[in-house]
Amino acid sequence: MLKKFYCFLLLLPLITFAGPETQTKTLTLTPGKTYQVLKDSGLPASTEGKVNVVEFFNYGCPACYHFEKEVEAWLATKPANVHFTRMPLSFHIQWEMLSKAYFVGEELQVLPKLTPIMFDVIHVKRQRLSTEKDLIPFFEKAGANKSAVESAFSFSPLINNKMLQAQNLMKKNKIFILPTFIIAGKYKIDPSMLKEHADHLVTAVRALVNKAQNETEKTV
């Protein structure tokens, strides 16, 4: 399901919007081509006045790992008007445990430490994580209590509901590529939409955030 071109390393251009279509030296962002405008994503446009940005991903996804450093760099300096969340999706059964691991980490408030550990273990150290027993040492490394991890994995209706919600949103918004970002509840973008400019993804996300913010300011 993932394409090899997602791993191409390209120089990131500066992207700005000037009307419905934006031209840069290397990339044009055009609704319906390089990003999609959703009528009803099921996601809010904003939270407490901040533009919502949702990244659909999975720890097991090679393309998600490829973009992770750039995503984290953006999060470290993102504007105060951005509310960022992640939502793990399970494209196949092997990823279900990894999706649950994300939500367990969220519940136990260890995601800042857990996420880089998970990406490193899976994509650098090449370890296969398919059971709760496999995962517990990495939760402990992230600072979680073993019994709390075991309890969250064994029984948590809230986590089960979140996993179901994530899969429903995947179907509703026809998300077939990871990572996929939905900005302000209406702009959907993934690497495949940018084709040969796939590595411009995070820069495009930033531009769509600015577009959404500008639209909000015009309506106030």
Side-chain angles (χ1 to χ4, degrees):
M1 188 168 291
L2 295 169
K3 305 293 186 181
K4 290 183 179 180
F5 68 75
Y6 295 167
C7 294
F8 285 178
L9 295 176
L10 303 172
L11 294 177
L12 299 178
L14 175 64
I15 299 175
T16 57
F17 278 89
E21 182 175 285
T22 299
Q23 179 70 48
T24 71
K25 291 182 179 180
T26 56
L27 174 65
T28 298
L29 289 179
T30 308
K33 293 184 178 180
T34 51
Y35 69 95
Q36 294 179 4
V37 181
L38 304 174
K39 292 183 178 180
D40 178 21
S41 68
L43 294 165
S46 63
T47 298
E48 297 180 352
K50 298 181 179 182
V51 178
N52 268 333
V53 178
V54 181
E55 180 192 7
F56 292 87
F57 88 116
N58 191 281
Y59 286 134
C61 165
C64 298
Y65 171 68
H66 170 71
F67 287 108
E68 180 64 11
K69 286 185 179 180
E70 192 180 348
V71 171
E72 288 298 329
W74 173 59
L75 293 179
T77 58
K78 70 176 175 61
N81 68 321
V82 173
H83 180 265
F84 178 84
T85 56
R86 281 185 164 123
M87 194 164 291
L89 297 182
S90 303
F91 281 180
H92 48 75
I93 193 169
Q94 288 88 349
W95 282 6
E96 287 183 6
M97 182 62 69
L98 299 179
S99 290
K100 193 168 186 178
Y102 177 86
F103 286 126
V104 170
E106 182 178 60
E107 182 172 296
L108 300 181
Q109 300 181 359
V110 295
L111 283 180
K113 292 184 178 180
L114 180 67
T115 292
I117 290 172
M118 292 290 288
F119 275 126
D120 180 71
V121 168
I122 294 169
H123 299 285
V124 179
K125 297 183 172 62
R126 302 288 183 179
Q127 293 187 31
R128 185 180 178 86
L129 306 176
S130 57
T131 68
E132 174 190 327
K133 185 177 180 180
D134 294 334
L135 291 161
I136 286 178
F138 305 111
F139 274 89
E140 291 182 300
K141 186 176 180 180
N145 178 272
K146 181 179 179 180
S147 60
V149 176
E150 291 174 336
S151 177
F153 268 106
S154 63
F155 181 75
S156 178
L158 178 61
I159 288 175
N160 292 338
N161 286 338
K162 285 183 175 181
M163 291 184 68
L164 179 60
Q165 178 190 27
Q167 295 302 105
N168 287 340
L169 285 170
M170 178 183 75
K171 296 174 184 176
K172 182 179 182 68
N173 294 296
K174 298 179 180 179
I175 298 173
F176 307 120
I177 297 292
L178 296 183
T180 289
F181 291 81
I182 295 181
I183 298 95
K186 61 180 178 179
Y187 300 133
K188 172 187 169 185
I189 190 166
D190 67 49
S192 71
M193 297 178 191
L194 297 176
K195 299 184 175 13
E196 69 269 20
H197 301 295
D199 245 36
H200 299 171
L201 178 62
V202 177
T203 301
V205 168
R206 295 201 305 265
L208 289 169
V209 168
N210 292 336
K211 177 176 172 63
Q213 182 64 31
N214 291 336
E215 291 172 344
T216 299
E217 292 173 353
K218 289 179 181 179
T219 60
V220 174

